[in-house]
């Protein structure tokens, strides 16, 4: 699973980091520090919740498709 | 507070009759009597975007979708209520510098030039470091009222706490607390003053702070004023005018807002003993409760000016017309939140826009969230079950801030 973030559109609500500071790193100003995050196994649920928490709706989850 | 309706102005030709709804955002009697009940009522009756003939005539954006789009389209929905070149002309005619609420009144890209330096100071990390001292202050205020069995929550807790936090952050002398509280009260006393009165109020704020500003320029300490002096704004060192601008926006935005959020939240708790019980039994839920209270009782109405002729939500809007982002309605919009009128701790979608959306997202949101949560935690921890005083029902004022004037509580000490 991957998280993609439209980083320039971040306005610093920091709600994603309130769900998981580990998964969603912020810069010193409280804006998202990265635009792509590989979700470690077991953190998928947190990733989805973090994406939903964004008032700007700029966090998109890409589910893994190739699963057998 | 009794308010008189402003006179209705004529509908401009480009506004269709179907888009007109008569609502006075300062004085509508039902709104001032019980603001959020009227917001719910309005959502059922008025169009999602409408034009009201009151207060000179202006657009009102109610629906979550409309506000979300408008808040992010800063070219069409501009924050430069007065264009910057006009501001400069006005400054030249004034006997002294008129402090500007930067960065609130500037659009991107210039916006970031003024906001950037403040982001770090008000970022989640910096605010987190303040938690302990905010908790101590809140605890002291609540302990002081506990033996009385009654209080006006607004004057006993909601007003003094943010003032004390503000003094601490800015490094202003706590010994002059009473001066600052008087300033806040003067500032709040007349929500619709004439422009020159507003300017005089800003000068009073600056006059109260100025000696400390001068002092920190020469003797920097570990506080925000010293930090602001050390900034470069657009490659130029900070000037006294810059400092006046910053201090005024921090003062006005920091004190006149969060206290009202506390009032709305504590009123809801006082009306819902079962919720108090649930949160006392499980204080870990107070964080979620804080978010849901912000959604249920969103309380600011940021103004915008139409920056260019446009068609928005099927309506023709002309450059120079005013539009209000009616955030309290956005967060109660049934299209965005199921059973929006319900306070629901377990609500799946709590993603409200109480702090607005887009680049002007409330700079103080992180501080406000911490202050709100701590106030709820300390009130629930230190007081037994509290309820509204039936002899003194709460009173409100409405406008760009939907505020609580008085909130009388009772408990068994």
């Amino acid at each position: 699973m991957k998280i993609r973030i439209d980083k320039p559109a971040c306005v610093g609500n920091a709600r994603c980091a309130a769900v998981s500071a580990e998964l969603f790193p912020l810069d010193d100003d409280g804006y998202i520090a990265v635009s792509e995050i590989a979700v470690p196994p077991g953190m998928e649920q947190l990733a989805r919740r973090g994406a939903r928490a964004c008032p700007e709706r700029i966090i998109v989850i890409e589910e893994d498709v190739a699963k057998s | 507070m009794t308010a008189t309706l402003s006179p209705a102005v004529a509908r401009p030709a480009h506004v269709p009759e179907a888009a007109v709804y008569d609502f006075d955002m300062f004085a509508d009697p039902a709104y001032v009597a019980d603001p959020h009940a009227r917001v719910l009522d309005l959502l059922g009756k008025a169009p999602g975007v409408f034009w009201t003939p009151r207060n000179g005539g202006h657009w009102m954006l109610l629906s979550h979708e409309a506000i979300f789009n408008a808040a992010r389209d800063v070219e069409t929905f501009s924050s430069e209520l007065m264009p910057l070149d006009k501001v400069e002309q006005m400054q030249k005619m004034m006997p002294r510098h008129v402090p500007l609420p930067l960065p609130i009144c500037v659009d991107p890209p210039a916006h970031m030039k003024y906001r950037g330096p403040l982001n770090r100071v008000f970022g989640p990390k910096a605010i987190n470091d303040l938690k302990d001292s905010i908790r101590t202050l809140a605890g002291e205020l609540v302990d002081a009222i506990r033996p009385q069995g009654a209080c006006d929550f607004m004057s006993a807790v909601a007003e003094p706490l943010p003032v004390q936090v503000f003094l601490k952050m800015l490094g202003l002398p706590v010994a002059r607390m009473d001066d600052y509280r008087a300033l806040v009260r003067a500032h709040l006393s007349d929500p619709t003053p004439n422009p020159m009165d507003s300017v005089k109020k800003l000068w009073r704020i600056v006059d109260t702070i100025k000696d400390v500003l001068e002092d920190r320029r020469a003797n920097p300490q570990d506080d925000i004023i010293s930090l602001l002096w050390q900034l470069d704004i657009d490659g130029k060192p900070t000037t006294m005018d810059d400092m006046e601008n910053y201090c005024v926006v921090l003062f006005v935005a920091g004190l006149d807002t969060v206290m009202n959020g506390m009032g709305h939240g504590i009123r809801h708790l006082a009306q819902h003993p079962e919720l108090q019980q649930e949160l006392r039994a499980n204080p870990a839920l107070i964080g979620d409760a804080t978010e849901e209270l912000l959604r249920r009782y969103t309380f600011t109405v940021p103004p915008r000016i139409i920056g260019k002729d446009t068609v928005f939500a099927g309506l023709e809007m002309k450059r120079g017309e005013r539009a209000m982002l009616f955030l309290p309605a956005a967060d109660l919009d049934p299209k965005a939140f199921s059973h929006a009128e319900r306070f629901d701790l377990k609500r799946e979608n709590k993603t409200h826009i109480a702090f607005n959306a887009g680049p002007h997202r409330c700079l103080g949101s992180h501080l406000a969230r911490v202050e709100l949560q701590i106030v709820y935690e300390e009130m629930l921890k230190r007081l037994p079950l509290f309820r509204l005083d039936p002899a003194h029902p709460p009173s409100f004022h409405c406008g760009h801030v939907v505020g609580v004037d008085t909130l009388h509580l009772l408990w068994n000490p």
Side-chain angles (χ1 to χ4, degrees):
Chain A
M1 183 190 272
K2 260 196 189 126
I3 304 171
R4 279 189 204 285
I5 303 169
D6 180 8
K7 189 166 174 275
C10 176
V11 301
N13 278 289
R15 299 315 291 160
C16 55
V19 172
S20 172
E22 194 188 336
L23 207 44
F24 297 94
L26 303 180
D27 64 20
D28 288 341
D29 290 353
Y31 288 59
I32 192 74
V34 296
S35 53
E36 205 182 297
I37 300 161
V39 180
M43 294 186 84
E44 291 85 357
Q45 209 43 37
L46 277 177
R48 287 190 199 100
R49 273 181 50 212
R52 272 202 306 269
C54 176
E56 296 291 315
R57 304 176 194 157
I58 57 165
I59 306 178
V60 179
I61 299 288
E62 285 180 9
E63 305 276 352
D64 295 330
V65 274
K67 261 194 188 147
S68 50
Chain B
M1 187 180 298
T2 49
T4 341
L5 288 189
S6 69
V9 300
R11 165 175 65 95
H14 66 278
V15 177
E17 229 176 298
V20 177
Y21 189 90
D22 189 343
F23 178 71
D24 190 323
M25 62 175 273
F26 289 91
D28 179 89
Y31 185 42
V32 178
D34 193 355
H36 293 88
R38 175 63 168 138
V39 173
L40 284 166
D41 172 61
L42 210 55
L43 277 162
K45 288 179 180 159
V49 178
F50 68 82
W51 183 88
T52 173
R54 300 292 164 181
N55 298 295
H58 61 84
W59 296 101
M60 286 287 280
L61 276 53
L62 259 62
S63 79
H64 189 283
E65 187 192 2
I67 293 180
F68 184 75
N69 292 331
R72 293 155 54 103
D73 178 359
V74 295
E75 258 178 68
T76 312
F77 292 89
S78 166
S79 292
E80 295 180 5
L81 301 183
M82 191 190 263
L84 288 183
D85 50 335
K86 264 210 183 136
V87 171
E88 246 167 67
Q89 273 177 13
M90 181 199 71
Q91 290 281 19
K92 281 183 194 138
M93 288 155 54
M94 288 296 204
R96 60 185 279 197
H97 175 70
V98 177
L100 295 173
L102 295 170
I104 291 177
C105 60
V106 221
D107 292 328
H111 171 251
M112 230 352 149
K113 178 167 91 186
Y114 299 104
R115 173 157 177 152
L118 295 173
N119 272 335
R120 191 155 309 183
V121 179
F122 286 90
K125 268 188 209 158
I127 296 305
N128 214 31
D129 292 343
L130 293 172
K131 266 186 181 168
D132 289 346
S133 53
I134 295 175
R135 190 175 300 284
T136 306
L137 292 170
E140 285 168 6
L141 289 169
V142 179
D143 280 347
I145 53 169
R146 186 189 164 115
Q148 299 166 9
C151 78
D152 167 28
F153 174 76
M154 297 313 291
S155 55
V157 180
E159 185 216 309
L161 178 66
V163 179
Q164 292 188 17
V165 172
F166 174 84
L167 297 183
K168 225 179 156 68
M169 282 185 82
L170 268 80
L172 296 167
V174 180
R176 289 203 354 228
M177 169 89 184
D178 287 344
D179 294 348
Y180 294 103
R181 285 188 71 177
L183 275 182
V184 178
R185 253 175 264 134
H187 184 79
L188 300 180
S189 62
D190 183 5
T192 53
N194 73 54
M196 202 54 217
D197 281 352
S198 305
V199 168
K200 281 182 187 155
K201 280 183 188 172
L202 298 180
W203 281 338
R204 251 188 86 190
I205 296 172
V206 169
D207 289 341
T208 312
I209 299 178
K210 197 142 190 175
D211 54 337
V212 181
L213 293 181
E214 299 279 13
D215 176 71
R216 296 301 192 278
R217 186 179 211 168
N219 313 300
Q221 295 182 18
D222 180 24
D223 57 40
I224 293 179
I225 292 178
S226 307
L227 203 137
L228 292 174
W229 272 124
Q230 290 152 34
L231 293 173
D232 278 326
I233 299 171
D234 215 15
K236 284 172 246 158
T238 316
T239 64
M240 187 50 102
D241 287 356
D242 294 327
M243 290 300 288
E244 291 186 8
N245 294 341
Y246 275 138
C247 286
V248 161
V249 75
L250 296 183
F251 189 91
V252 174
L255 301 180
D256 184 14
T257 50
V258 68
M259 61 180 282
N260 297 300
M262 293 174 188
H264 292 300
I266 290 294
R267 179 197 184 205
H268 183 92
L269 286 168
Q271 288 170 318
H272 295 275
E274 76 291 349
L275 178 62
Q276 287 188 46
Q277 232 160 11
E278 186 180 359
L279 297 178
R280 281 198 178 89
N282 190 356
L285 294 175
I286 298 179
D288 278 348
T290 305
E291 287 306 305
E292 178 65 350
L293 286 171
L294 275 165
R295 182 200 67 82
R296 181 62 183 79
Y297 301 98
T298 294
F299 58 91
T300 64
V301 184
R304 294 291 186 265
I305 192 159
I306 305 297
K308 56 177 189 201
D309 289 1
T310 191
V311 175
F312 182 82
L315 295 162
E316 225 181 301
M317 298 183 178
K318 301 271 192 207
R319 183 164 186 256
E321 291 177 342
R322 290 172 308 132
M324 304 298 158
L325 308 183
F326 198 43
L327 301 178
D331 284 338
L332 290 172
D333 183 348
K335 289 201 190 78
F337 301 96
S338 58
H339 302 287
E341 77 291 349
R342 221 181 265 169
F343 173 93
D344 180 0
L345 255 186
K346 295 191 182 67
R347 182 178 291 282
E348 172 75 2
N349 171 21
K350 291 193 195 59
T351 312
H352 59 75
I353 49 171
F355 296 110
N356 204 358
H360 285 281
R361 187 267 309 166
C362 171
L363 175 73
S365 63
H366 307 300
L367 175 60
R369 282 190 156 105
V370 164
E371 287 182 299
L372 288 166
Q373 184 173 337
I374 288 179
V375 159
Y376 301 148
E377 284 170 352
E378 296 307 306
M379 284 287 284
L380 290 166
K381 190 170 115 192
R382 288 164 198 268
L383 289 189
L385 195 70
F386 52 86
R387 58 195 187 275
L388 295 181
D389 179 352
H392 301 98
S395 55
F396 304 93
H397 62 269
C398 295
H400 295 292
V401 174
V402 182
V404 184
D405 287 333
T406 58
L407 181 67
H408 291 275
L409 303 177
L410 297 175
W411 59 91
N412 303 326

